């Protein structure tokens, strides 16, 4: 009587990024190189910020948390992707698929909210400097940090709850190299129109609103900085430009994937590959190359260890 709601499928077969063996080997080498840059790059940022007494500003506190989220995010898809490239049959269990989907949205949602917090921090620092120490005190920062982790958790739980309500009793071939909402929904043995609308509303609309809100806030900040004559103008412009680049690189692919009806497009896998594998690498690269204080601190840290 409740068989229609039961999940018969116990595993999903991942079709992978491409069927060409030569391209698979090429991507395997590229992902391996990226992965060995992602982890040291992000951990070096965290270590530098934690050990350098000169990097005590809240900007670096949030940057350290961003690096931690990127390092954690890189564990969700890339390791399994590397193993699957060497396997003939790419299989993931139903529970493993749900777990991967949960952490993907948990950490991804948390990172998106962290960018909102960083934009708020820059807005107060540049547009309301006299109120900065009052508004952005340590207690408020830890409260914001807790809020973004809770926000990411709630966002992820909503995605997982909607998926768990769907019956999977037939096809189990997932046309991707990892588990994500759009592809998993299509395998359900029921009409998914309402669920797709809920997913677009919970993921797509939220992503789009955060993206537009962030761009608007940085537009206000950049206009304010451009019209001022303060001595820290170039540093503020550089910091805000870096944040805008990260926003475009993170939210662009997410908007492409989650704000349209869930139908497959040829570019989906490439965009997903960029979003899950390449993007975590770009944060440390962009921040390191564009932030003079972080670069100087890293050189000091590395030279100290080389001498030792």
């Amino acid at each position: 009587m409740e068989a229609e709601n039961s999940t018969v499928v116990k595993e999903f077969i991942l079709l992978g990024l491409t069927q060409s063996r030569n391209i698979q080997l090429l991507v395997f080498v590229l992902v391996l190189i990226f992965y060995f840059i992602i982890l040291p790059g992000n951990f070096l940022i965290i270590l530098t910020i934690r050990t350098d007494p000169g990097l005590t500003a809240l900007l670096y506190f949030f940057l350290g948390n961003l690096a931690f989220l990127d390092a954690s995010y890189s564990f969700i898809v890339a390791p399994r992707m590397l193993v699957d490239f060497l396997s003939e049959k790419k299989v993931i269990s139903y529970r493993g698929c749900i777990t991967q989907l949960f952490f993907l949205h948990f950490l991804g949602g948390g990172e998106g909210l962290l960018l909102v917090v960083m934009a708020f921090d820059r807005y107060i620092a540049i547009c309301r400097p006299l109120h900065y120490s009052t508004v952005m005190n340590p207690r408020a920062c830890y409260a914001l940090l807790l809020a973004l982790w809770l926000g990411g958790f709630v966002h992820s739980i909503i995605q997982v709850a909607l998926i768990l309500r769907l019956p999977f009793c037939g096809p189990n071939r997932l046309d991707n190299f990892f588990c994500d909402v759009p592809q998993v929904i299509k395998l359900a043995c029921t009409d998914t129109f309402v669920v797709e609308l809920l997913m677009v509303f919970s993921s797509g609309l939220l992503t789009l609103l955060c993206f537009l809100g962030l761009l608007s806030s940085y537009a206000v900040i950049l206009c304010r900085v451009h019209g001022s004559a303060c001595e820290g103008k170039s540093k503020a412009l550089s910091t805000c430009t870096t944040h805008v680049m990260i926003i475009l690189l993170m939210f662009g692919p997410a908007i492409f994937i989650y704000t349209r009806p869930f139908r497959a497009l040829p570019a989906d896998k490439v965009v997903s590959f960029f979003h899950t594998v390449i993007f975590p690498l770009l944060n440390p690269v962009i921040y390191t190359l564009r932030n003079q204080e972080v670069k100087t601190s890293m050189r000091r840290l590395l030279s100290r260890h080389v001498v030792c």
Side-chain angles (χ1 to χ4, degrees):
M1 38 196 165
E2 44 186 79
E4 66 269 15
N5 290 327
S6 63
T7 297
V8 176
V9 170
K10 300 300 180 185
E11 63 182 24
F12 294 106
I13 299 172
L14 301 172
L15 298 185
L17 186 63
T18 176
Q19 299 303 308
S20 169
R21 192 61 184 169
N22 291 332
I23 297 178
Q24 282 186 20
L25 291 174
L26 175 62
V27 175
F28 173 81
V29 173
L30 289 175
V31 172
L32 197 62
I33 293 171
F34 289 151
Y35 200 64
F36 280 118
I37 296 173
I38 289 170
L39 291 182
N42 283 298
F43 284 129
L44 183 58
I45 289 176
I46 296 170
L47 184 62
T48 301
I49 292 171
R50 293 282 295 175
T51 57
D52 194 323
L55 300 178
T56 55
L58 289 178
L59 170 65
Y60 302 112
F61 170 73
F62 291 131
L63 177 56
N65 281 278
L66 185 64
F68 175 76
L69 281 169
D70 277 327
S72 303
Y73 195 79
S74 67
F75 279 109
I76 302 172
V77 175
R80 183 178 182 88
M81 186 182 184
L82 290 171
V83 173
D84 284 344
F85 274 133
L86 304 177
S87 307
E88 284 298 321
K89 192 177 182 183
K90 305 168 179 60
V91 176
I92 184 170
S93 67
Y94 176 80
R95 289 185 178 181
C97 182
I98 296 299
T99 302
Q100 188 179 65
L101 192 150
F102 169 80
F103 282 106
L104 190 75
H105 285 269
F106 175 42
L107 296 174
E111 186 161 350
L113 292 173
L114 178 56
L115 291 177
V116 173
V117 171
M118 292 174 75
F120 178 71
D121 173 72
R122 289 301 86 201
Y123 173 80
I124 298 296
I126 294 169
C127 300
R128 299 285 186 273
L130 297 178
H131 303 290
Y132 185 76
S133 59
T134 304
V135 176
M136 298 302 290
N137 57 69
R139 186 175 179 180
C141 289
Y142 284 112
L144 288 171
L145 200 63
L146 177 62
L148 71 89
W149 280 104
L150 287 175
F153 179 78
V154 170
H155 165 70
S156 184
I157 282 294
I158 291 172
Q159 313 305 305
V160 171
L162 290 172
I163 290 290
L164 288 176
R165 292 178 62 85
L166 295 174
F168 296 93
C169 53
N172 67 338
R173 295 169 68 84
L174 200 62
D175 190 18
N176 212 333
F177 56 93
F178 70 107
C179 283
D180 200 6
V181 179
Q183 292 80 25
V184 175
I185 282 180
K186 287 301 183 185
L187 298 181
C189 305
T190 186
D191 180 23
T192 59
F193 178 76
V194 174
V195 179
E196 289 185 37
L197 286 182
L198 290 172
M199 288 291 185
V200 169
F201 180 78
S202 62
S203 286
L205 186 59
L206 181 64
T207 302
L208 184 60
L209 290 175
C210 284
F211 175 71
L212 294 176
L214 284 167
L215 284 188
S216 300
S217 65
Y218 277 113
V220 172
I221 294 171
L222 289 171
C223 288
R224 179 70 175 265
V225 170
H226 192 266
S228 68
C230 60
E231 63 177 62
K233 177 178 176 179
S234 60
K235 181 182 175 181
L237 280 171
S238 177
T239 301
C240 291
T241 304
T242 302
H243 288 189
V244 170
M245 288 171 63
I246 293 296
I247 288 166
L248 292 172
L249 291 169
M250 178 180 179
F251 283 93
I255 289 170
F256 178 83
I257 294 169
Y258 299 114
T259 57
R260 58 181 171 80
F262 291 155
R263 55 192 179 88
L265 292 178
D268 282 354
K269 290 184 182 180
V270 177
V271 174
S272 295
F273 178 73
F274 176 86
H275 190 55
T276 56
V277 179
I278 307 298
F279 174 71
L281 167 66
L282 295 176
N283 269 353
V285 170
I286 291 174
Y287 276 109
T288 303
L289 292 179
R290 294 186 61 87
N291 193 303
Q292 190 59 46
E293 286 86 353
V294 175
K295 282 196 293 184
T296 304
S297 296
M298 281 183 177
R299 289 195 197 100
R300 281 202 301 266
L301 181 66
L302 292 172
S303 62
R304 213 163 46 230
H305 282 280
V306 168
V307 171
C308 294

